[in-house]
Amino acid sequence: AQKITQTQPGMFVQEKEAVTLDCTYDTSDQSYGLFWYKQPSSGEMIFLIYQGSYDEQNATEGRYSLNFQKARKSANLVISASQLGDSAMYFCAMRGDDGGSQGNLIFGKGTKLSVKP
Amino acid sequence: NAGVMQNPRHLVRRRGQEARLRCSPMKGHSHVYWYRQLPEEGLKFMVYLQKENIIDESGMPKERFSAEFPKEGPSILRIQQVVRGDSAAYFCASSPQGYEQYFGPGTRLTVT
């Protein structure tokens, strides 16, 4: 069975510093995708970044980068130069791409990030 | 290109009533996924539909819940005889091909 584990219920970071949010996953699929979403207090789900299991380079999107370590089955999100607006819940998610998968996402329980001024 | 639309954004129902949640996918998207988020939890998959077909309903409770995605009009998630435990945020996501998913703003259901 596929599973996503986020072990940090809450994190604090000083404004302008970098922060790493942890995510480990478990799957028997050879091909899969990993996602990070941000959920601010307003409640919407905002897509941040995607990493495919066969991508050789770590994904980056602006201040977001994904530290993908396939052998360790980890997909940590790094946010550089934190801003007050980064305060939100962050969810790691996975989609299995092998035959039989219907493409639905499996989510972790999330990490609440608070950025201090 | 408008994003995924969900309505209503907030819905209050008394125990025993029916709740109907609507999701209009992005233009050109024929795949719809429904997820439920309980308080302090991540999203959990409920059902995956393509136009006029239910592809995977493995995450749907066996009773009281149903979903459809007709040829014309939005996808509907229907909850009959709601109970307090149904209080949650319900998100739909649409996809052009079943891979990348774009989420709507969610419907927050409160059962009193």
Side-chain angles (χ1 to χ4, degrees):
Chain A
Q2 297 177 336
K3 186 178 178 182
I4 291 282
T5 302
Q6 294 180 254
T7 57
Q8 306 153 313
M11 290 278 287
F12 287 90
V13 65
Q14 203 69 38
E15 192 179 9
K16 299 182 185 176
E17 292 188 348
V19 63
T20 297
L21 307 183
D22 294 342
C23 172
T24 57
Y25 62 91
D26 193 15
T27 181
S28 55
D29 284 3
Q30 295 300 309
S31 176
Y32 50 89
L34 295 155
F35 301 77
W36 278 91
Y37 287 86
K38 173 184 178 182
Q39 187 177 42
S41 57
S42 52
E44 69 267 35
M45 294 291 287
I46 301 168
F47 166 75
L48 296 178
I49 196 166
Y50 165 79
Q51 178 86 41
S53 58
Y54 289 115
D55 294 341
E56 293 187 353
Q57 296 207 334
N58 287 342
T60 59
E61 289 286 349
R63 293 186 299 111
Y64 304 107
S65 60
L66 199 152
N67 184 1
F68 180 46
Q69 298 189 43
K70 194 169 182 177
R72 298 179 63 181
K73 293 191 173 179
S74 75
N76 298 340
L77 177 71
V78 181
I79 305 175
S80 62
S82 298
Q83 302 172 356
L84 295 178
D86 294 335
S87 294
M89 284 290 289
Y90 288 81
F91 292 98
C92 180
M94 176 173 63
R95 180 198 70 221
D97 292 338
D98 283 358
S101 168
Q102 301 296 348
N104 54 280
L105 297 173
I106 309 295
F107 283 84
K109 288 184 180 289
T111 295
K112 184 172 183 179
L113 177 66
S114 300
V115 180
K116 297 187 288 186
Chain B
N1 190 8
V4 179
M5 310 284 284
Q6 287 188 252
N7 65 81
R9 295 291 306 276
H10 299 273
L11 181 61
V12 180
R13 284 287 177 266
R14 291 200 184 100
R15 277 178 297 171
Q17 290 184 322
E18 178 179 287
R20 281 188 180 230
L21 288 62
R22 284 176 291 276
C23 169
S24 297
M26 290 177 70
K27 188 176 180 181
H29 288 193
S30 59
H31 301 248
V32 166
Y33 298 81
W34 284 94
Y35 295 85
R36 177 165 65 176
Q37 185 180 30
L38 296 171
E40 310 299 324
E41 298 266 332
L43 278 67
K44 292 228 172 8
F45 167 73
M46 298 181 76
V47 62
Y48 164 38
L49 310 105
Q50 293 181 26
K51 284 284 187 181
E52 300 184 277
N53 288 304
I54 297 174
I55 307 301
D56 180 0
E57 56 182 348
S58 59
M60 287 275 270
K62 293 284 185 277
E63 297 177 348
R64 301 188 297 108
F65 285 71
S66 61
E68 62 177 12
F69 188 16
K71 188 176 179 182
E72 302 290 338
S75 175
I76 306 284
L77 180 67
R78 182 180 176 207
I79 311 172
Q80 295 178 290
Q81 299 175 318
V82 295
V83 301
R84 287 231 172 99
D86 297 333
S87 295
Y90 292 82
F91 289 90
C92 86
S94 77
S95 174
Q97 295 174 333
Y99 286 97
E100 67 272 26
Q101 296 181 24
Y102 300 83
F103 281 84
T107 293
R108 273 129 192 98
L109 172 65
T110 302
V111 179
T112 61

